[in-house]
Amino acid sequence: MSFFSDILRDVKDPEKPETLEELNVLSEESITVSRLTGDQLLIHVEFTPTVPHCSLASLIGLTIRSKLQECLPEKAKVDIKIKKGTHTTADEINKQINDKERIAAAMENPNLRALVKECTTDIDDTYY
């Protein structure tokens, strides 16, 4: 099994019933894993929003980060980016979704936290 199928395959889109994989926002090829030093891993995820002006791109990035943080060891470094040329404000969103303070502030919002949890909960988890 691949890293992708183990962790990110079932992450759902925030406004559509499909997963990010089904919408071609994420694919196995868009995720790379490398070792930085010792036990520390670098997980690089590049995603492609469904449209160049996607208003939920930052939420998608936050959802991907949340799922990875839930499943990975603490020593993993996560770098999430919008694929170059696929979103009109990619640089600004890339800064947001890789800034620890902005991430922490976003996750303090109970409505946003609930939406992220809804997108990252596996279908099988909802029955237990």
Side-chain angles (χ1 to χ4, degrees):
M1 284 195 168
S2 72
F3 175 82
F4 177 71
S5 63
D6 289 346
I7 297 178
L8 294 175
R9 177 156 283 145
D10 294 325
V11 174
K12 295 180 231 54
D13 184 84
E15 65 181 354
K16 297 178 179 163
E18 293 90 1
T19 67
L20 297 180
E21 178 189 29
E22 291 168 336
L23 294 169
N24 294 318
V25 172
L26 280 179
S27 69
E28 234 172 296
E29 296 76 29
S30 64
I31 301 164
T32 58
V33 181
S34 57
R35 189 164 302 281
L36 291 175
T37 57
D39 293 340
Q40 189 175 32
L41 294 176
L42 171 62
I43 314 300
H44 179 78
V45 180
E46 187 175 73
F47 71 97
T48 305
T50 53
V51 292
H53 55 278
C54 177
S55 62
L56 296 177
S58 57
L59 179 57
I60 290 169
L62 184 60
T63 300
I64 293 167
R65 178 173 299 285
S66 179
K67 184 65 174 187
L68 289 171
Q69 287 176 332
E70 174 186 312
C71 299
L72 292 173
E74 288 183 31
K75 292 188 178 200
K77 180 178 178 351
V78 177
D79 182 39
I80 300 172
K81 302 255 193 257
I82 294 175
K83 186 175 182 179
K84 192 168 184 70
T86 63
H87 195 279
T88 54
T89 59
D91 290 341
E92 180 181 315
I93 293 170
N94 288 339
K95 286 179 188 173
Q96 288 178 350
I97 60 178
N98 288 292
D99 183 297
K100 289 180 183 180
E101 290 178 13
R102 290 183 186 188
I103 294 163
M107 293 306 286
E108 288 178 11
N109 178 318
N111 294 328
L112 188 56
R113 192 172 52 247
L115 183 54
V116 167
K117 183 172 177 59
E118 185 179 317
C119 292
T120 58
T121 301
D122 293 338
I123 294 170
D124 293 340
D125 292 347
T126 59
Y127 298 108
Y128 297 106

